[in-house]
Amino acid sequence: MIKLWKAGCRPVRRLLWEYAEERLPEDAMERVERHLNSCASCRREIEGMRQAQKLLVAFRAQDPPPPRTGWATLRDRLTAEAGASLPAAHAGHSSRLPLATLEGLYSGDSRRTRRSTWMPRLSLTGSMAMVLLLGVFGYRTFRSAEYLGTSPQNVTGGIQKWAPNMPEKKETPGTNVQSVARNKGQNSASKPEQGAGDSGAETIAHVMPAADRGNRSLRSNRTQLMAAVNKSENEEAGHLTRANKRSSEALNPRSPGIKFTHYLPKVSERPQPQEEKSSSYPDAGQYTTVSNTQRNVMGTLEPISRDDDDSVY
Amino acid sequence: MQLSDQELIYRCREGDVEAFGQIYARYERQVYRFVYHMIGDPDDADDIKQDTFMKAYRSLATFRGECSLLTWLLKVAGNLCRDRLKSRSRRGEVALNLEVECDLRDTSDLGADPATLLERKDLNATVYRVLTGMPEAQRELIVLRDVEGLSYQQIADVLGCSVASVKLRLFRARRGFKDRVESLLKVR
């Protein structure tokens, strides 16, 4: 029942405003009138609409306050924007804007005018993006050069620049560049001369002793550093030897170092570790010699005996 | 001699600024009224009206004549009104009250009966309060149809939609306006 009532009201309600304004065609007016006679809800609705319409009609009848500015102001603005001074307003054909200006204002050139505002913004954004990209690229290049150890050449180049007569010392590859740079930084006395060295031969001659001192200390630092690097490399090689041996033993189940104890002979039956090393790892000798004592001290490579297994389990 | 809109537009494109002056004289009042009823502040309405004609002057080359010049101008003005209302709401500004502005500026009120003047101010304030409480799109529809008296087709041209859509939206906007007026009168 309610649904039927709503279905009957809905199309009429869309016409109520126009009905109240008496703008509907005659047949629609009659249809709405018939519905209003039988529907109290729509009658209430149309009463509210009539109130609202009265307000709007009164509001429409009032004129707004007169505007402050008129054609003269707009004409001045147009002239100013066109960039050309117009002659007097009532001078016949003199009221035409110069053709070049008008071409800019009208046909298609409005687009050009617009472009003139956004082009600088675009170019600014583009240049900022380029600078950012270059910065990132440069940083990455610097980091990769540092990683690959190309800086020793730079260091040598710097020495040659400061002291051209000094014989160049051949660099051992793999020098820790950052440490060299740090050592170089410690010789703070030699730093200010870097800029002066570029200025001329006299300045270079004046600066030479200081540069020489700096380079000597740099070389001694480098020698110390080289020794430290070699030492660390040897240690690494020792670890590498042991690690290689361990992994090889793990892969070979018949190897004496394996932890699968049921394959292993007893400790007394095992061959001597020295023989193993020399036969299985010939390259290890170039790094360092790993003694039996060291190997036993490491502990992890020691095969687990059956007796130990029994005690554990 | 009264030239048609098309002739005036043609002359403007040829570079005759005075032809644009005629267009301005022909439609300035309607544009100003529409903007004033949308914005509610005569100074802002004046600024927007001038901006509307400036923009129209710059864009006359793109006017294809698919709708009337008035609806095209009202479309430009409506866009500017929306921009202004948005910037206003961002800054938390409120328009000057219409009743005060009417009192200060309308010289026709000088000889009016004080009771009538008061009634008019009250009416303006009520309608303006109801309109400003409505969504912008609904307010625009009410102003275009019930204040400015445009046809459905003209409104469809201004809003860039179909006539059926205008009728449906207008039905909703009027219902909203009526409900707000009723609730306002009940409070009183």
Side-chain angles (χ1 to χ4, degrees):
Chain A
M1 184 68 186
I2 293 170
K3 196 174 181 182
L4 284 172
W5 176 79
K6 277 189 177 175
C9 284
R10 194 170 292 158
V12 173
R13 287 204 175 186
R14 292 200 175 182
L15 302 173
L16 284 182
W17 189 279
E18 306 281 334
Y19 172 81
E21 286 182 335
E22 298 181 357
R23 282 188 183 181
L24 286 175
E26 205 166 319
D27 55 335
M29 288 286 284
E30 285 175 7
R31 209 178 78 201
V32 173
E33 212 164 322
R34 275 201 305 273
H35 179 81
L36 285 176
N37 288 334
S38 62
C39 182
S41 169
C42 286
R43 278 201 299 274
R44 279 198 300 276
E45 185 80 8
I46 204 168
E47 282 306 311
M49 282 184 180
R50 280 184 175 138
Q51 268 186 332
Q53 279 177 357
K54 273 182 193 169
L55 278 177
L56 279 174
V57 167
F59 187 67
R60 183 168 54 204
Q62 291 179 20
D63 278 337
R68 283 179 295 117
T69 56
W71 168 240
T73 315
L74 183 68
R75 195 170 185 277
D76 290 345
R77 280 181 68 184
L78 289 172
T79 312
E81 188 170 280
S85 59
L86 280 177
H90 305 290
H93 285 288
S94 61
S95 64
R96 288 175 184 275
L97 282 170
L99 189 61
T101 315
L102 287 168
E103 279 174 357
L105 282 170
Y106 295 129
S107 53
D109 282 271
S110 57
R111 215 178 283 170
R112 200 175 301 156
T113 316
R114 252 180 284 150
R115 196 187 306 153
S116 66
T117 58
W118 62 261
M119 271 298 278
R121 289 183 203 166
L122 185 68
S123 61
L124 181 68
T125 313
S127 55
M128 284 173 70
M130 281 298 294
V131 166
L132 190 67
L133 275 173
L134 283 173
V136 169
F137 179 73
Y139 178 71
R140 286 177 65 90
T141 311
F142 175 73
R143 288 298 300 266
S144 61
E146 224 175 25
Y147 179 74
L148 292 170
T150 52
S151 291
Q153 279 78 14
N154 296 339
V155 171
T156 315
I159 291 167
Q160 281 183 330
K161 186 180 174 186
W162 286 9
N165 297 330
M166 192 169 288
E168 185 185 353
K169 186 180 177 180
K170 196 156 188 175
E171 288 292 331
T172 311
T175 307
N176 192 338
V177 180
Q178 285 179 339
S179 304
V180 172
R182 272 200 300 275
N183 289 336
K184 187 180 173 184
Q186 284 169 4
N187 302 322
S188 57
S190 60
K191 262 193 171 179
E193 284 87 16
Q194 188 174 6
D198 297 335
S199 62
E202 289 180 10
T203 322
I204 289 170
H206 179 68
V207 163
M208 269 299 289
D212 194 25
R213 275 200 306 279
N215 288 328
R216 276 178 197 164
S217 73
L218 186 65
R219 278 198 298 278
S220 67
N221 284 339
R222 193 184 302 142
T223 312
Q224 289 171 5
L225 182 71
M226 284 294 296
V229 166
N230 284 335
K231 192 179 171 186
S232 67
E233 279 178 353
N234 287 339
E235 283 173 4
E236 279 177 12
H239 284 300
L240 184 65
T241 309
R242 286 192 294 277
N244 283 343
K245 185 172 178 58
R246 190 179 170 189
S247 61
S248 172
E249 283 169 351
L251 287 171
N252 184 7
R254 298 193 174 182
S255 171
I258 198 161
K259 291 189 180 179
F260 299 112
T261 52
H262 53 280
Y263 287 122
L264 287 175
K266 290 197 171 182
V267 178
S268 56
E269 295 169 3
R270 277 188 290 151
Q272 291 302 314
Q274 267 184 331
E275 291 169 12
E276 291 169 28
K277 185 179 77 59
S278 59
S279 60
S280 305
Y281 306 103
D283 295 340
Q286 69 180 352
Y287 296 107
T288 183
T289 307
V290 182
S291 67
N292 276 340
T293 320
Q294 282 174 316
R295 284 174 56 80
N296 290 335
V297 164
M298 293 304 289
T300 52
L301 296 176
E302 190 67 32
I304 303 164
S305 67
R306 285 178 191 274
D307 300 336
D308 292 343
D309 282 346
D310 293 339
S311 67
V312 170
Y313 298 107
Chain B
M1 186 181 73
Q2 193 80 348
L3 293 172
S4 69
D5 286 352
Q6 286 301 322
E7 285 170 331
L8 288 173
I9 290 166
Y10 178 76
R11 287 194 178 196
C12 287
R13 285 176 177 164
E14 290 291 310
D16 189 354
V17 182
E18 292 309 315
F20 191 74
Q22 284 189 41
I23 291 175
Y24 182 87
R26 193 172 291 178
Y27 296 114
E28 181 223 0
R29 193 72 188 158
Q30 280 166 288
V31 170
Y32 175 69
R33 269 180 63 97
F34 168 65
V35 174
Y36 175 73
H37 289 133
M38 282 292 291
I39 295 288
D41 179 40
D43 290 335
D44 277 357
D46 192 48
D47 287 346
I48 291 173
K49 177 202 73 181
Q50 295 289 73
D51 289 346
T52 300
F53 280 100
M54 280 289 288
K55 206 169 178 179
Y57 184 70
R58 287 189 210 124
S59 313
L60 265 179
T62 62
F63 177 65
R64 294 189 296 267
E66 289 168 355
C67 59
S68 72
L69 190 57
L70 173 66
T71 54
W72 186 64
L73 288 169
L74 291 177
K75 190 174 188 171
V76 175
N79 290 337
L80 290 171
C81 284
R82 274 189 288 275
D83 291 348
R84 181 64 61 99
L85 289 170
K86 271 179 199 166
S87 67
R88 239 191 220 178
S89 65
R90 270 201 300 270
R91 288 180 297 190
E93 287 178 9
V94 180
L96 290 172
N97 199 338
L98 275 178
E99 57 180 334
V100 178
E101 290 300 321
C102 286
D103 210 8
L104 291 173
R105 290 175 169 272
D106 197 352
T107 49
S108 63
D109 283 347
L110 289 174
D113 178 30
T116 313
L117 191 63
L118 200 65
E119 193 181 332
R120 191 185 297 173
K121 277 199 278 186
D122 193 42
L123 171 81
N124 271 334
T126 305
V127 175
Y128 182 69
R129 200 176 301 163
V130 171
L131 283 175
T132 49
M134 294 176 74
E136 282 168 28
Q138 291 192 352
R139 189 195 316 179
E140 191 171 4
L141 274 163
I142 294 277
V143 169
L144 286 172
R145 175 69 184 174
D146 296 324
V147 180
E148 299 304 319
L150 265 66
S151 69
Y152 288 126
Q153 184 58 55
Q154 283 177 314
I155 296 171
D157 288 341
V158 171
L159 300 181
C161 59
S162 66
V163 172
S165 173
V166 168
K167 283 182 179 174
L168 183 64
R169 288 194 219 174
L170 193 63
F171 167 69
R172 289 175 185 153
R174 281 168 170 168
R175 196 175 55 190
F177 183 79
K178 182 213 65 152
D179 290 345
R180 283 166 197 273
V181 168
E182 279 179 344
S183 61
L184 199 70
L185 293 177
K186 272 181 193 170
V187 169
R188 289 185 171 191

